[in-house]
């Protein structure tokens, strides 16, 4: 009888110790999971080609964004465009090309973020200005043109797209994709171009840190 009581006491103490240890382990795992959110921030450069009114167009861009858990980007993007419109301006007796710049809010949901190649759907919502410039400006290094606010018109832009993101390293990401630009109407002489709508295809590079705050101990715990 005495040995039975001793055995029961040992079992109770063992069960209590085991339960306490298990609770501590579960709490430790739960605490570590709180640090498993991945943050990121980067600076991106883009360039592309497209069309405006069936004429060649060239684009360049810059963006700064915060990346939440490698699944969503939010930040600011700015783009510059130049299109070889070659429109004759009667009042100035010259042929002109279209230039413009616009920027605004950058949003980008990301899918398959844990894979080497991701799929994303970027969207830019913003505003800017467009105008015309003498198409001979690049032929003469001494060429100068004084542009005033009357030479430009305000334009509002929505630019959705689809991109493939290539994760090169923790600090470097490449992208390639296509976009379509929707714009408000512009009213500038000559008036053949009334909108800067059009498709564009481009490539880009993002430099930053894409997985700050990752849980370095999760694999050891599992």
């Amino acid at each position: 009888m005495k040995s039975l009581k001793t055995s029961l006491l040992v079992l109770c103490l063992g069960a209590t110790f085991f339960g306490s240890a298990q609770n501590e382990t579960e709490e430790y795992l739960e605490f570590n999971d709180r640090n498993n959110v991945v943050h990121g921030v980067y600076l991106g450069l883009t360039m592309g080609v497209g069309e405006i009114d069936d004429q060649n167009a060239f684009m360049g861009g810059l963006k700064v964004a915060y990346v939440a858990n490698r699944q969503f980007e939010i930040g600011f993007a700015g783009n510059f465009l130049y299109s070889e419109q070659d429109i004759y301006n009667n009042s100035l007796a010259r042929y002109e090309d279209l230039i413009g710049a616009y920027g605004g809010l950058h949003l980008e949901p990301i899918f398959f973020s844990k894979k080497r190649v991701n799929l994303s759907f970027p969207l830019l919502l913003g505003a800017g200005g467009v105008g015309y410039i003498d198409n001979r400006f690049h032929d003469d290094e001494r060429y100068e043109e004084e542009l005033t606010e009357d030479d430009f018109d305000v334009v509002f832009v929505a630019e959705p797209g689809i991109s493939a993101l290539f994760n090169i390293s923790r600090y470097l990401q490449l992208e390639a994709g296509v976009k379509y630009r929707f714009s408000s109407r512009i009213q500038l002489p000559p008036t053949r171009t009334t909108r800067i709508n059009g498709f564009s295809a481009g490539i880009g590079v993002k430099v930053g840190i894409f997985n700050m705050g990752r849980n370095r101990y999760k694999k050891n715990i599992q």
Side-chain angles (χ1 to χ4, degrees):
M1 188 69 175
K2 185 177 180 180
S3 59
L4 180 59
K5 290 182 179 180
T6 303
S7 300
L8 289 174
L9 180 60
V10 171
L11 287 174
C12 290
L13 291 174
T16 302
F17 177 81
F18 178 79
S20 175
Q22 187 176 23
N23 289 336
E24 289 180 2
T25 303
E26 289 175 354
E27 290 175 4
Y28 177 72
L29 287 172
E30 183 180 350
F31 174 78
N32 248 282
D33 284 346
R34 294 176 186 173
N35 293 328
N36 203 34
V37 176
V38 177
H39 307 280
V41 62
Y42 73 84
L43 173 67
L45 297 174
T46 60
M47 58 182 179
V49 295
E51 288 187 348
I52 297 177
D53 278 349
D54 298 322
Q55 302 299 320
N56 292 334
F58 307 92
M59 300 88 180
L62 174 70
K63 56 185 174 181
V64 178
Y66 162 74
V67 187
N69 214 27
R70 292 182 293 182
Q71 295 179 348
F72 190 80
E73 295 182 7
I74 181 170
F76 173 83
N79 291 330
F80 171 83
L81 65 84
Y82 169 76
S83 179
E84 300 173 336
Q85 294 295 312
D86 202 28
I87 301 175
Y88 187 74
N89 189 323
N90 289 317
S91 62
L92 297 177
R94 67 183 188 185
Y95 288 93
E96 296 182 323
D97 292 335
L98 184 72
I99 62 171
Y102 57 92
L105 180 65
H106 166 74
L107 303 172
E108 187 168 359
I110 303 170
F111 298 89
F112 315 113
S113 60
K114 296 183 179 180
K115 303 294 184 180
R116 177 66 67 177
V117 180
N118 312 149
L119 180 67
S120 70
F121 295 89
L123 172 64
L124 187 154
L125 299 172
V130 294
Y132 290 100
I133 190 171
D134 189 341
N135 66 356
R136 295 174 301 173
F137 75 94
H138 48 72
D139 296 333
D140 189 350
E141 294 181 356
R142 296 170 297 175
Y143 173 85
E144 293 184 4
E145 181 171 358
E146 294 183 3
L147 298 174
T148 67
E149 60 181 16
D150 295 332
D151 298 316
F152 288 87
D153 196 11
V154 175
V155 64
F156 297 94
V157 176
E159 192 171 38
I162 180 171
S163 298
L165 307 177
F166 304 89
N167 297 308
I168 305 303
S169 73
R170 184 184 177 192
Y171 309 101
L172 180 65
Q173 191 178 72
L174 303 179
E175 63 177 333
V178 295
K179 300 177 180 180
Y180 189 85
R181 184 176 49 260
F182 298 93
S183 82
S184 60
R185 291 180 64 88
I186 58 175
Q187 296 180 348
L188 287 171
T191 58
R192 188 184 77 185
T193 301
T194 57
R195 298 180 188 271
I196 58 171
N197 294 359
F199 279 103
S200 63
I203 58 175
V205 58
K206 301 177 181 180
V207 179
I209 302 178
F210 296 93
N211 55 354
M212 292 188 297
R214 64 181 180 178
N215 186 349
R216 298 176 182 272
Y217 304 100
K218 185 177 181 182
K219 291 183 179 180
N220 294 334
I221 295 170
Q222 291 179 344

